[in-house]
Amino acid sequence: MTAPAAPEVLGWWGVPLAILAGMMRGGTPFLFVSLGECITEKSGKINLGLEGTLLTGAMSAYAISYLTGSPWLGVLAAGVSGVGLGLIHGWLSQQPRVNDVAVGIAMIIFGSGIAFFLGKPFIQPSAPPLPTIHLGDWSSIPAVQAALAISPLFVLGVAIAPLLKWFFQSTRWGLFIRAVGDSPDAAKAMGISIFNVRMLSVVAGSFLAGIGGASLSLYYPGVWTERISSGQGLMAVALVIFAKWNPMQCLWASLLFGGAQALGPALQSVGIKEGYYLFNAAPYILTLLIMILTCSPKRTLTGVPGALGTDN
Amino acid sequence: MSSKKYLNLSRRQVIRGLLATTAFGATAKFGTGCTPSAQTTAGAGGASPAAGGDEPMTVGFIYVGPKDDYGYNQAHAEGAKAIADKFSWIKLVEEASVPETTAVAESMRSMIDIDGAKVLFPTSFGYFDPHILKMAAEYPDVQFFHCAGLYKEGVHPKNIGSYFGYIDEAQYVAGVTAALTSKTAKLGFVGAKPIPQVLRNINSFTLGARSVKPEATTQVIFTGDWALPLKEAEAVNSMADQGIEVVTCHVDSPKVVMETAEKRNMFCTGYHANQVALAPKGYLTGAEWDWTSVYTRLMEDIKAGKSVQSGGIPHILRGGLKDGFCKMSAYGAAVPAEAKQAADAAKAKFMDGSMVIYKGGLKDNQGKEVIPTGGDLKQQDIKLEEMNYLVEGVIGS
């Protein structure tokens, strides 16, 4: 069927464009949560509670942005709320004989519960969203302009990834975190406080995850509802594993996931009718596939912090 | 002393056992202890509604999501608030965000036992089987009204009433408005799941559009679930990229769809509730539920002593625009006079009952005839509630 060729009709080009746009729009929360989890896990602790942190961050950002009229204050509030949850997790998970995975699951429930409870009055109002950076103004095609209207948070996340890599590789503080994560006994011998380092790592990770939540509620999709995260926090935690605890690979993996989320709707819009449930499941299938590809019974994962998930 | 027999148990073990028993009793809410006594009070109260007067009556509403989601739940909550404001003898108890699990059974039970509710409106589709069915059997004096067409005469308990509206009539009118406002008549529909109610809305929207512009098409995108904000936003963005001009939806909360459409300079038509505040530029009109009128009528009947179990209130209440089950949002600024005229004409035909949406000879989008020639299907026709096709002009499956 040939529609009157309006300039804005993209046809099949819409699919790669949607994936590209999805990478930047949908990938941002993945990026922040996975970078945050990367810091946390490097220190030898797991924080599954980032799903709850993501929701609390999304709620606080939306609420503060609505109440003060300043989305940037909202972003800050999201980070601070993340710090709050991080402090709880960091303290609880380091108590003797406390399992950090179990605490994490409790924190998912606590974080989402508190977000739902405090977020009730903010479902209906519209909060001012974050401004976007228009990289697509050179193009006369509105679709391209819309796809390239990227969030400053995305730029921030992309900048943090290499910074974090440098931090782990070349700084003294990065070394502390790695030492605590790989060999707590050696770290202790070096005179580092394991408790403090892990606490700071968990808190920093939660701070980033909270900002990831702000990107959900203040940029894309730009609303606060109870279903806003739909498991993205947990997926981002899994994503750290196949990014092999490498911040740069977290970046690529987040982009991949963001793009995969856009695949289902984009294919339907160009008339691919069959199997949209399958395409909608693309991010999850991708998770499984990469897990299978990167796991081998013969060797352990490279890059895994030595003390991750152990009791000391 | 019987404890002598258990002397080999340590004190700690005994205390543990006592604690465990208490905890179990608490979680089970002393179920056996409470239920019979509640039934007697319900039985005693069963006669009182007929007595009339200004005796207060407790009415319970249960929603599956938040009450102000610009969507399905808000539409019901507005109706609940309206009857509570209107009738001073109604004491309203509400619970929001109740999942479609045994949680809803517990909510119903506590509304009946603790708050003394005589009439319950558990509004979500999935509450019905098995939760409402079980509760209705257990509390035969309480009237349950469920929003959907699931009630079966003779099979289900007598104290259940079901009500549902032909909101696809409003979608038809929205389709007329959308087609005439757009230049190319390329429309879009974000659906949650391909179930009959959603398909019927898509089809009526499309048939409305094609009744005024035969070349009109509706691109459908299914997201896969009732509330997936991210997928809904992606769907609208992909539609914008494909040059679709007007978008509407059938998801639990249309907020994301409306706001994204507004951002992409598209037109939109609303669903469930009025969403003009979310898209002041692009909002054309919308298909809204009008539960206020339905609930008012029901409560007036109940006050007059009628009940669903005695047959005074019909078990199945249905209606469309004409019966006040749904309504249209006011036209937005972008709607041209010609579109308003055509939409008003379509609405007038619904109001006098002469409109038939599903006419004989209708083809689906595979070219197959789904309604035989000459076999017009009226809105009330039960065949329409088993719809499993998309009509000609819909792109998608």
Side-chain angles (χ1 to χ4, degrees):
Chain A
M1 184 166 57
T2 48
E8 68 263 37
V9 177
L10 283 173
W12 269 95
W13 281 105
V15 178
L17 190 72
I19 293 174
L20 181 76
M23 279 180 178
M24 295 184 290
R25 294 189 294 232
T28 313
F30 283 129
L31 180 56
F32 276 92
V33 178
S34 61
L35 288 179
E37 183 69 12
C38 193
I39 302 178
T40 306
E41 292 194 8
K42 279 273 189 192
S43 79
K45 281 285 160 196
I46 297 171
N47 187 358
L48 283 181
L50 292 187
E51 169 81 11
T53 313
L54 193 70
L55 277 166
T56 314
M59 189 278 298
S60 339
Y62 201 73
I64 296 299
S65 169
Y66 171 68
L67 293 175
T68 65
S70 159
W72 286 108
L73 270 182
V75 174
L76 192 70
V80 171
S81 72
V83 167
L85 289 176
L87 283 172
I88 302 177
H89 182 83
W91 183 78
L92 262 183
S93 64
Q94 293 196 71
Q95 296 312 300
R97 285 191 293 170
V98 170
N99 181 292
D100 46 357
V101 172
V103 174
I105 290 169
M107 290 303 289
I108 295 180
I109 299 167
F110 178 69
S112 47
I114 206 158
F116 295 170
F117 178 71
L118 296 174
K120 282 273 181 292
F122 302 105
I123 292 170
Q124 192 163 38
S126 292
L130 281 170
T132 47
I133 302 170
H134 296 278
L135 292 182
D137 284 351
W138 50 269
S139 168
S140 59
I141 305 168
V144 175
Q145 288 177 1
L148 291 180
I150 61 172
S151 163
L153 284 179
F154 175 70
V155 179
L156 190 69
V158 170
I160 289 177
L163 213 65
L164 210 57
K165 188 176 166 64
W166 169 80
F167 172 78
F168 283 132
Q169 260 175 3
S170 319
T171 68
R172 198 169 167 73
W173 282 82
L175 178 71
F176 287 171
I177 295 181
R178 280 191 295 138
V180 168
D182 266 331
S183 171
D185 292 335
K188 217 172 187 173
M190 278 164 73
I192 306 170
S193 159
I194 296 176
F195 182 89
N196 285 348
V197 168
R198 284 189 172 161
M199 182 62 123
L200 282 177
S201 307
V202 171
V203 166
S206 289
F207 179 81
L208 286 182
I211 289 182
S215 131
L216 277 178
S217 64
L218 293 179
Y219 168 56
Y220 194 78
V223 293
W224 159 244
T225 74
E226 297 178 356
R227 298 291 299 275
I228 189 102
S229 92
S230 38
Q232 290 179 72
L234 280 175
M235 268 156 66
V237 173
L239 193 144
V240 176
I241 300 171
F242 68 73
K244 292 181 182 159
W245 295 271
N246 179 340
M248 283 315 283
Q249 289 187 19
C250 283
L251 172 63
W252 309 132
S254 303
L255 292 180
L256 196 67
F257 267 66
Q261 276 184 329
L263 187 65
L267 283 178
Q268 280 191 65
S269 80
V270 294
I272 302 282
K273 301 169 183 173
E274 281 77 31
Y276 45 82
Y277 278 105
L278 201 65
F279 295 125
N280 282 341
Y284 310 100
I285 295 174
L286 208 63
T287 313
L288 280 177
L289 269 182
I290 298 181
M291 292 294 238
I292 293 166
L293 290 179
T294 52
C295 284
S296 156
K298 295 199 182 87
R299 57 182 168 80
T300 51
L301 283 174
T302 49
V304 54
L308 191 66
T310 58
D311 266 348
N312 50 6
Chain B
M1 286 300 250
S2 61
S3 63
K4 262 192 181 162
K5 221 165 98 189
Y6 300 107
L7 266 183
N8 55 343
L9 287 176
S10 72
R11 189 169 64 174
R12 181 176 290 181
Q13 276 170 312
V14 172
I15 291 173
R16 241 187 227 164
L18 285 173
L19 277 177
T21 319
T22 319
F24 179 75
T27 48
K29 291 204 174 169
F30 306 104
T32 45
C34 255
T35 317
S37 71
Q39 266 174 341
T40 50
T41 47
S48 65
D54 264 1
E55 197 178 320
M57 180 190 290
T58 307
V59 179
F61 276 83
I62 304 174
Y63 317 103
V64 73
K67 282 195 293 180
D68 47 4
D69 60 352
Y70 274 106
Y72 185 84
N73 300 300
Q74 181 173 332
H76 283 290
E78 279 171 3
K81 192 176 172 302
I83 55 165
D85 289 347
K86 191 164 182 179
F87 304 118
S88 57
W89 46 271
I90 288 183
K91 186 177 158 255
L92 187 65
V93 286
E94 293 176 288
E95 198 172 333
S97 302
V98 180
E100 293 170 339
T101 60
T102 47
V104 71
E106 285 310 307
S107 292
M108 286 190 265
R109 191 188 291 283
S110 61
M111 279 181 175
I112 297 166
D113 284 349
I114 298 169
D115 304 309
K118 297 283 183 295
V119 181
L120 282 185
F121 291 89
T123 52
S124 186
F125 185 86
Y127 290 163
F128 190 74
D129 194 3
H131 310 296
I132 293 181
L133 294 179
K134 240 192 318 201
M135 286 294 132
E138 200 172 312
Y139 297 95
D141 295 311
V142 178
Q143 301 182 52
F144 294 79
F145 292 95
H146 182 240
C147 181
L150 295 174
Y151 181 80
K152 282 200 188 76
E153 195 83 52
V155 182
H156 295 148
K158 267 187 137 73
N159 51 332
I160 299 178
S162 93
Y163 59 99
F164 203 65
Y166 301 122
I167 200 169
D168 64 308
E169 295 182 355
Q171 285 285 19
Y172 184 93
V173 179
V176 172
T177 318
L180 286 177
T181 306
S182 72
K183 282 190 217 77
T184 56
K186 288 178 77 176
L187 316 176
F189 198 112
V190 182
K193 297 176 180 186
I195 63 166
Q197 284 92 331
V198 178
L199 297 181
R200 187 166 175 178
N201 278 333
I202 298 169
N203 287 338
S204 293
F205 183 73
T206 311
L207 289 170
R210 287 169 78 91
S211 72
V212 288
K213 279 198 181 168
E215 78 277 16
T217 57
T218 306
Q219 171 73 54
V220 175
I221 295 184
F222 290 109
T223 57
D225 214 336
W226 296 108
L228 290 173
L230 207 90
K231 285 262 161 56
E232 288 155 19
E234 286 297 346
V236 177
N237 272 313
S238 321
M239 283 180 179
D241 294 348
Q242 295 302 323
I244 282 163
E245 284 184 84
V246 191
V247 67
T248 188
C249 62
H250 186 164
V251 295
D252 261 1
S253 169
K255 195 178 181 199
V256 175
V257 172
M258 301 299 145
E259 285 188 335
T260 313
E262 184 83 350
K263 267 184 223 159
R264 297 295 305 265
N265 295 317
M266 301 164 89
F267 295 123
C268 53
T269 71
Y271 189 62
H272 287 316
N274 193 331
Q275 285 115 16
V276 67
L278 300 174
K281 273 190 294 162
Y283 195 77
L284 302 180
T285 181
E288 296 177 37
W289 295 107
D290 190 4
W291 296 127
T292 306
S293 70
V294 179
Y295 290 159
T296 308
R297 261 181 285 161
L298 271 175
M299 292 318 294
E300 275 168 351
D301 280 356
I302 290 170
K303 188 70 180 164
K306 293 181 193 168
S307 70
V308 69
Q309 52 267 59
S310 70
I313 299 171
H315 282 289
I316 295 173
L317 280 174
R318 297 291 165 85
L321 286 167
K322 185 179 154 200
D323 318 274
F325 275 64
C326 47
K327 60 186 176 192
M328 305 300 301
S329 315
Y331 295 116
V335 183
E338 167 208 16
K340 279 184 200 171
Q341 219 170 23
D344 283 339
K347 203 165 122 190
K349 278 171 98 179
F350 280 116
M351 290 311 229
D352 66 23
S354 63
M355 176 68 90
V356 178
I357 301 180
Y358 294 92
K359 296 198 181 88
L362 187 74
K363 283 190 183 138
D364 69 5
N365 62 358
Q366 321 279 322
K368 209 171 70 202
E369 199 175 76
V370 281
I371 301 174
T373 317
D376 289 3
L377 294 181
K378 289 253 167 59
Q379 281 297 80
Q380 292 79 6
D381 203 304
I382 204 82
K383 267 189 210 154
L384 290 178
E385 299 189 6
E386 292 154 6
M387 194 170 279
N388 58 1
Y389 50 84
L390 288 163
V391 298
E392 197 177 1
V394 180
I395 308 166
S397 69

